[in-house]
């Protein structure tokens, strides 16, 4: 089992941040855990609950459009998109991963609001489970990355 923390963030204070989260419902059992981990790290960083805006959408392909909507409507400092792609018999996962990563990168560059890529791209379900529970819940790490980038956007680091 792989369990390692890849990035060490210094303790960040997110109490002035407004943060959007978009969660894909496809593979809900995984993305629910990612969301829980993400909310936990935002809470640990002092982000106020009333400044967190969560939107649920059908699947990962919908993430860029919905992140754009949150940026336009909620004046957030950062958006975290959460999804889980698991390889099937066709190449859907590759097209969707490509579209989401390109879409949110473009969105961040065009709006000046960073968008965190919180999408697991797994070969098998076990890889997704391993990465969405306990100490290795990537949602937690993406929450930390969100706080770091929100502060960077506001010039508070
Ligand atoms: N969405 C996901 O978030 N994860 C997936 O693993 C996933 N697999 C899909 C596989 C197929 C064959 C199709 C048609 C869609 C899949 N989607 C998945 C849904 C996709 O992101 C999107 O919600 C729909 O295609 C509607 O635009």
């Amino acid at each position: 089992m792989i369990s390692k923390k890849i990035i060490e963030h210094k303790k960040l204070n997110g109490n002035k941040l407004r943060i959007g989260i978009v969660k894909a419902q496809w593979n809900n059992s995984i993305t629910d855990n990612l969301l829980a981990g993400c909310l936990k790290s935002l809470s640990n960083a002092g982000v106020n609950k009333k400044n967190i805006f969560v939107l649920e959408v059908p699947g990962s392909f919908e993430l860029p459009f919905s992140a754009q909507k949150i940026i336009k409507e909620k004046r957030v400092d950062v958006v975290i998109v959460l999804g889980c792609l698991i390889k099937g018999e066709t190449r859907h996962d590759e097209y969707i991963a490509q579209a989401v990563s390109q879409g949110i990168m473009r969105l961040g560059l065009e709006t000046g609001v960073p968008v965190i890529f919180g999408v697991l791209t797994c070969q098998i379900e076990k890889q997704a489970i391993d990465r969405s529970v306990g100490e290795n819940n990537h949602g937690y790490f993406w929450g930390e990355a969100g706080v770091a980038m929100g502060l960077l956007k506001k010039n508070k680091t």
Side-chain angles (χ1 to χ4, degrees), residues 5 23 30-31 93 100 110 116 124 126 134 140:
K5 187 160 182 188
K23 191 205 83 156
I30 303 291
T31 58
D93 60 312
V100 177
E110 284 173 2
I116 302 299
I124 54 169
K126 183 179 182 307
Y140 192 93

Side-chain angles (χ1 to χ4, degrees), residues 37-56:
C38 185
L39 290 171
K40 191 170 169 198
S41 69
L42 298 188
S43 163
N44 288 352
V47 180
N48 198 321
K49 262 194 190 147
K50 73 171 178 17
N51 292 329
I52 300 174
F53 307 90
V54 181
L55 191 59
E56 294 204 20

Side-chain angles (χ1 to χ4, degrees), residues 25-154:
Q25 290 166 328
W26 198 284
N27 294 316
N28 238 336
S29 62
I30 303 291
T31 58
D32 283 349
N33 284 350
L34 294 174
L35 177 62
C38 185
L39 290 171
K40 191 170 169 198
S41 69
L42 298 188
S43 163
N44 288 352
V47 180
N48 198 321
K49 262 194 190 147
K50 73 171 178 17
N51 292 329
I52 300 174
F53 307 90
V54 181
L55 191 59
E56 294 204 20
V57 297
S60 292
F61 191 78
E62 284 68 48
L63 292 171
F65 177 91
S66 318
Q68 183 184 53
K69 187 170 160 65
I70 287 198
I71 290 171
K72 279 185 189 159
E73 295 177 3
K74 302 289 183 192
R75 291 179 297 103
V76 289
D77 301 302
V78 60
V79 181
I80 302 162
V81 301
L82 301 173
C84 173
L85 291 163
I86 300 177
K87 185 142 198 62
E89 288 178 4
T90 64
R91 295 175 63 199
H92 261 85
D93 60 312
E94 294 171 37
Y95 291 111
I96 298 170
Q98 188 73 252
V100 177
S101 55
Q102 303 261 339
I104 65 165
M105 173 60 79
R106 216 181 71 210
L107 182 63
L109 296 176
E110 284 173 2
T111 59
V113 176
V115 185
I116 302 299
F117 184 72
V119 180
L120 293 174
T121 55
C122 300
Q123 302 291 322
I124 54 169
E125 192 185 7
K126 183 179 182 307
Q127 293 173 335
I129 295 169
D130 288 347
R131 288 159 180 77
S132 60
V133 296
E135 296 273 287
N136 199 32
N137 185 337
H138 284 37
Y140 192 93
F141 310 145
W142 292 324
E144 292 182 321
V147 171
M149 291 306 291
L151 290 171
L152 179 67
K153 190 237 165 205
K154 279 174 93 81

